[in-house]
Amino acid sequence: MTRGSPDPTVIVDGTSFALHGNNFSYLFHADDGTGDLLSDHFGGSVTGPMPTDPTPIVNGWTGMSGRVRREFPDQGRGDFRSPAIRIRQSGAHTISALQYQSHTVVKGKPALPGLPATFGDENDVTTIIIHLYDKYSLIAADLMYSVFPRYDAIVRSVTVTNKGKGAIVLEDLASLSVDLPFGDLDMIYLRGEWARETHRQRRRIDYGLQGFRSSTGFSSHSHNPFLALARPSTTEFQGEAWGFSLVYTGSFAVNVEKCAQGMTRILMGFNPDQLSWSLGADETFTSPECVSVYSKDGLGGVSRSLHGLYRNHLVKSQFATANRPVLLNSWEALYFNINSNNLYRIAQESAALGVKLFVLDDGWFGKDYPRVSDTAGLGDWVPNPERFPDGLAPLVKDITALKAATLKSTKPSTNLRFGIWIEPEMVNSKSTLYQEHPEWALYAEEYPRTEQRNQLILNLALAEVQDFIINSVSELLSSADITYVKWDHNRCMHETPSPTTHHAYMLGVYRVFETLTTRFPNVLWEGCASGGGRFDPGVMQYFPQIWTSDNTDAVDRIFIQFGTSLAYPASSMCGHISAVPNHQTGRTVPMEFRAHVAMMCGSFGLELDPTELQPEERAIIPDMIALSEKINPIVLTGDMWRLSLPEESNWPAVLYISKDGSQAVLFLYQLGSKVNHALSRVRLQGLDAQDMYFVDGEGPYSGGMLMSVGLQYCFETDYASKVVFLEKESVR
Ligand code: DGJ
């Protein structure tokens, strides 16, 4: 990061500010009279001067500040829409007047203290910091805007400093606040529950306040910190769309407010029910950052911008876009019924099928309180001596001595790798840790400590708890050749002792993640929270992949994975082939369909007992592994086009196109069989119209033909599928 000369992406003219990406502009200025920061434009590229807005005729009860588009609306001076900041001043009122004072332009992007954040050097990103000041209460607020022009993305965070003498309390703070001048917009968001996360929802924005919020203490299964806005006519491929994504793992709030004048305000940041942060003299508080992207190519454009930005400028891991090993996870294979014998047996079978990584899930730990069910053991991260009399090391040694069969795979033979499951933020009351440190759990005075899944949550706001986790996980990872970790988190936060606990916990979690992932950079870290309960950009900074849902039913997974892909790249998703009937839904679907759905994700694997496979299932797994390995690089790094959505079509389809455009892979699914119905036709997107492509070796066909006429396949049964490989003729 260097201070430097003006940059074409950030142009300052007096107190007018223009931030430009390749295809968008974001304009605002400081009002000469009031010093308020006013929004001018967030949308398609704009160059040259703009006409001055006529002054609105003020009739009625709402004064001027309630009629203008404000960049960082504070409270108490006549704007009756929702504020971006609410400060309980030392005098007990909540009025503030944050006005433009100065600005600084910086090439690159400063880090956010203790928080996950997008990163980039001076060739990737430019930052402008607008310094606001309330001369009455002596409070400063810095708005930091960073532009990533290649991704049509702008990232904003806010830092508040108390320069006065009395203590103030931050009661609300939105990382993003923007007023769009339109009143005819749709909002698109992701809703769900455990085992049915990230279902896409679209509805018209109406007058008044609407939105959603997580209160669970983490981003949650029910809501995701992502919002898109779109014109009513916007589709996956066409029309204006805006995407907003909060880089945070804690509770959050999204507010969308269509006001009486017809404009629409968007706020995204902390959940104010769980923020009450006291700032003494000279103390500072920084919000998480929110990413905003603009696309004129529909919702697909929003997703592709976020995917690219997150793969290249958010995930810190060396594995961000690296090919992922095909794995087998022991959870749905054995649940808690594990020991070194049955684990070795399924590891052997896994290796024989061509699996590359064996993952030992829950149930391996606990000495005095063995983890043989979900009622005990969390917190005691030592191997269960009855199940592993010599510890884990001998088992890990035996498993990593197994050679993964090559069978249909063209990859060179490798030894099986070993991975392990942990849930370090938790404690069972039946554990040695809890006996020794009951004060480390979250609790509020004498109120009962409510258990969820028989467990309590440790208070990661405490440095000693953070250190305990860092040390016990470090010891575990140093005890054997463990090269993958699945980090789980299976309950919500309640009985929080103080109004600062929620955010202080998140700062603690981030310190732990940062320390461990830096200390063990060669470990492939996977996030998990009963599936996708913490699928958010904050986790992605440290963990390049996240277990997408505990629901492994392939039909349900199509909805979940398409929904997740609105905000998150396939490289961050995990999909596993599980046994039939499926353990969550009882549904039986063919092995090929299960595999084709799972390999839509960057991390592909199996989660079943391979010794119980039917012969016909076993026979095709090596082909599926070979196919997944062939297409994995395109899935991990390519541009994703959702060609038809499961909510709208019996034939959902998705296409990934490699960055250089030379290869592509099409996934096409039939949910239910149709008698006497025209065959489904899938028209591709994003190809070069003039170029010729081989389609599974046939052709070549022109990109124009593939996009305008499309391809047809004949499916005869329910749950049929096809994965099609395309290659440009010119690169063969
Ligand atoms: C919840 C996870 O999402 C599952 O995959 C599994 O790891 C269990 N926890 C183990 O308790």
Side-chain angles (χ1 to χ4, degrees), residues 38-61:
L38 301 183
S39 315
D40 294 315
H41 175 71
F42 179 25
S45 295
V46 168
T47 49
M50 296 207 300
T52 316
D53 283 346
T55 310
I57 298 158
V58 178
N59 283 327
W61 292 82

Side-chain angles (χ1 to χ4, degrees), residues 194 221 329 331-332 335-336 361-363 371 374 421 423 453 455 486 488-490 526 528-532 547 549-550 607:
W194 171 76
H221 301 88
N329 178 295
W331 181 240
E332 287 195 20
Y335 293 103
F336 287 108
D361 209 280
D362 202 350
R371 179 80 170 168
D374 65 10
W421 176 98
E423 195 183 356
R453 206 198 187 202
Q455 66 200 53
K486 177 180 172 189
D488 209 343
H489 169 104
N490 286 303
E526 175 171 304
C528 174
S530 305
W547 181 226
S549 176
D550 272 356
E607 189 158 334

Side-chain angles (χ1 to χ4, degrees), residues 14 29 54 72 84 219 253 269 289 335 338 375 407 555 588 627-628 663 692:
H29 72 277
F72 189 58
S219 44
E289 65 182 27
Y335 293 103
I338 55 170
T375 59
L407 301 174
V555 176
T588 296
L627 178 62
S628 78
Q663 295 183 326
M692 303 299 285

